[in-house]
């Protein structure tokens, strides 16, 4: 299974908070992660072990850092979410409804399925909200 498929929504949110605040090599302390998630530190702490085991973050001297693998996982997540939104938009859902619908599936889809949907949708460059969709694959197939 791909890392994204193994995460809970809360773990993904924790990864997002850590990545946003650990840019430039500066780590983020536990209390700041907890504040970013709106939970108590022990609840935030429970998310860090699984993220570290998957190699998405590393921890050093009480601070957490997003790894390149963690940042890649977040960009893959956005791609899954926005491709799913595009699919639901073409199925006739309003732009607002596509967001909620995409949240129901975006973490469960495999990259392969997202790629197939993206191809079937003609490789949309933006989601229904105008946010950019990154190209399908680095291997040359996909967006032209
Ligand atoms: Zn594509
Ligand atoms: Zn969107």
């Amino acid at each position: 299974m791909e890392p994204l498929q193994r995460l809970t929504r809360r773990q993904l949110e924790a990864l997002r908070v850590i990545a946003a605040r650990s840019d430039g090599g500066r780590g983020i302390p536990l209390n700041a992660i907890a504040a970013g998630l709106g939970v108590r530190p022990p609840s935030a702490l429970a998310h860090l072990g699984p993220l570290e085991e998957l190699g998405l973050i590393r921890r050093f001297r009480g601070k957490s850092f997003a790894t390149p693998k963690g940042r890649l996982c977040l960009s893959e997540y956005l791609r899954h979410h926005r491709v799913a939104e595009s699919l639901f938009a073409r199925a006739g859902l309003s732009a607002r409804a596509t967001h909620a619908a995409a949240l129901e599936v975006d973490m469960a889809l495999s990259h392969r399925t997202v790629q197939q949907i993206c191809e079937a949708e003609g490789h949309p460059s933006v989601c229904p909200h105008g946010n950019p969709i990154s190209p399908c694959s680095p291997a040359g197939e996909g967006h032209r």
Side-chain angles (χ1 to χ4, degrees):
M1 269 211 295
E2 293 155 12
L4 192 52
Q5 294 173 306
R6 299 175 62 176
L7 295 180
T8 66
R9 178 72 56 180
R10 295 301 277 167
Q11 288 165 357
L12 180 72
E13 286 172 12
L15 176 59
R16 195 181 249 171
V17 168
I18 292 165
R21 289 281 304 274
S22 64
D23 231 348
R26 288 184 53 203
I28 173 171
L30 177 63
N31 58 10
I33 300 170
L37 293 172
V39 300
R40 311 275 305 163
S43 302
L45 183 61
H47 299 315
L48 303 187
L51 291 173
E52 191 171 31
E53 278 169 32
L54 288 168
L56 303 176
I57 65 166
R58 64 185 176 83
R59 289 190 279 173
F60 182 70
R61 293 186 176 168
K63 292 189 172 176
S64 296
F65 304 78
T67 64
K69 187 177 176 185
R71 293 184 186 281
L72 178 64
C73 183
L74 286 171
S75 70
E76 285 168 343
Y77 169 73
L78 288 178
R79 182 171 147 69
H80 284 211
H81 181 80
R82 292 169 184 169
V83 168
E85 285 181 334
S86 299
L87 175 68
F88 289 127
R90 205 165 60 85
L93 276 64
S94 69
R96 178 192 291 259
T98 63
H99 177 73
L103 286 175
E104 295 179 7
V105 299
D106 54 19
M107 296 180 71
L109 297 172
S110 68
H111 299 331
R112 184 166 178 272
T113 297
V114 170
Q115 173 119 359
Q116 288 171 336
I117 296 169
C118 193
E119 283 171 15
E121 291 295 303
H123 302 295
S125 58
V126 293
C127 79
H129 311 96
N131 296 313
I133 296 175
S134 58
C136 268
S137 79
E141 55 180 323
H143 288 259
R144 280 146 293 168

